Amino acid sequence: GESALRELVERERRGGVMLSVFGVGTGNLQDARMEAVASWGNGAYSYLDSQREAERVFVREIGGTLTAIAKDVKVQVEFNPAQVAGYRLIGYDNRALPDEAFADDARDAAELGAGHHVTALYEVIPAGSDESALPPAQRLRYQRPTERASGDWLTVQLRYKPATGPGTFADESVLVTVPLAAPAAAAPTEAMEWTTAVAEAALVLRRSAHAGAATLAGALARARRSQGQDADGDRAEFVRLVERAAALADVAGEQAQRR
């Protein structure tokens, strides 16, 4: 059963064996279970739906998959309530940890491979706004009046156990704390435009309650505008996928009208 499988994978993980899972083909894939198994084994999970995806996973990114430079990597973002009245993390629904788990070195978390990076988007409500739809900002670092008056918008904390050798890691975590002030007003960068296009498309496709006025057409226009050099063709592939999704949505809408 699943409990026996998890016990086996976690036992091997404690012995230094990490497990990555790769899905191929169609049918009874059970994507969520495969992702969970990889998570139990401190490994990576990918679904290989094309030769291009296999090349990305096994050629371009294989170094990061096979070489973990840190384990139990956790990120905590704290907003200054003097600047931010409320916030919402977009995505990462199956990766969230309770606040108290951040400083708990016994709590299993993600592994970081060589060359890996992640991007997180937050929806925020500035202090003084009459909006109130998002959870309130926490008061941890910013409990003290001097910290709230610092001008910082947020503090990012990173906790991780560094590698001490192949498959071995430190028992105690390292903490990195970085406060961030409000950035100067500027036009969004190409990277930010691209990131928001991906997020908007995801909100629409998941029929998120937070999608608001988001549309596939808007996401597609922004993605085309910010495609950039795209040496590996990943952004072009995303544009094609959104074009296909928009076309399918149009067909479904036309069929619904005919009914």
Side-chain angles (χ1 to χ4, degrees):
E2 184 169 301
S3 59
L5 174 62
R6 179 167 186 168
E7 182 180 349
L8 171 63
V9 172
E10 291 183 344
R11 183 171 65 246
E12 293 297 325
R13 182 189 74 197
R14 290 191 292 270
V17 178
M18 301 171 71
L19 174 67
S20 289
V21 182
F22 304 98
V24 180
T26 59
N28 188 24
L29 185 64
Q30 298 188 41
D31 188 79
R33 171 175 284 191
M34 295 178 71
E35 183 182 19
V37 171
S39 178
W40 301 337
N42 282 355
Y45 168 61
S46 295
Y47 172 58
L48 311 178
D49 62 345
S50 66
Q51 182 175 332
R52 283 196 74 258
E53 185 68 4
E55 180 182 356
R56 181 184 70 82
V57 171
F58 291 133
V59 178
R60 285 195 276 141
E61 298 182 359
I62 193 63
T65 301
L66 296 180
T67 307
I69 60 174
K71 81 165 199 170
D72 294 341
V73 181
K74 293 173 279 190
V75 179
Q76 187 175 66
V77 178
E78 181 189 351
F79 290 94
N80 183 352
Q83 306 290 343
V84 177
Y87 65 92
R88 181 177 69 86
L89 174 62
I90 300 175
Y92 295 95
D93 301 308
N94 61 346
R95 298 296 182 186
L97 291 173
D99 291 338
E100 60 271 17
F102 180 72
D104 182 2
D105 278 354
R107 183 65 177 260
D108 183 53
E111 277 55 57
L112 182 67
H116 281 176
H117 69 277
V118 297
T119 300
L121 292 179
Y122 283 86
E123 179 185 5
V124 301
I125 294 177
S129 170
D130 57 3
E131 295 283 344
S132 59
L134 300 181
Q138 298 181 66
R139 287 176 168 82
L140 299 172
R141 169 186 171 91
Y142 297 108
Q143 289 183 13
R144 299 184 296 274
T146 54
E147 296 293 352
R148 292 201 297 273
S150 65
D152 296 344
W153 269 61
L154 57 95
T155 293
V156 178
Q157 294 194 104
L158 175 70
R159 190 178 286 277
Y160 66 97
K161 296 174 183 174
T164 56
T168 61
F169 302 87
D171 293 327
E172 295 186 3
S173 62
V174 175
L175 175 65
V176 178
T177 300
V178 182
L180 296 174
T189 63
E190 178 186 282
M192 178 58 71
E193 285 247 289
W194 175 261
T195 302
T196 58
V198 174
E200 181 174 9
L203 288 170
V204 174
L205 291 173
R206 295 188 66 188
R207 295 181 172 86
S208 171
H210 303 284
T215 63
L216 288 179
L220 187 57
R222 197 178 307 109
R224 287 170 174 161
R225 188 167 62 240
S226 58
Q227 194 167 328
Q229 295 297 316
D230 192 26
D232 296 311
D234 292 335
R235 294 187 176 186
E237 182 180 24
F238 174 78
V239 168
R240 289 194 297 272
L241 289 172
V242 178
E243 288 173 343
R244 186 176 303 174
L248 290 172
D250 289 343
V251 169
E254 292 172 359
Q255 291 176 341
Q257 287 179 353
R258 285 198 293 270
R259 293 194 192 104

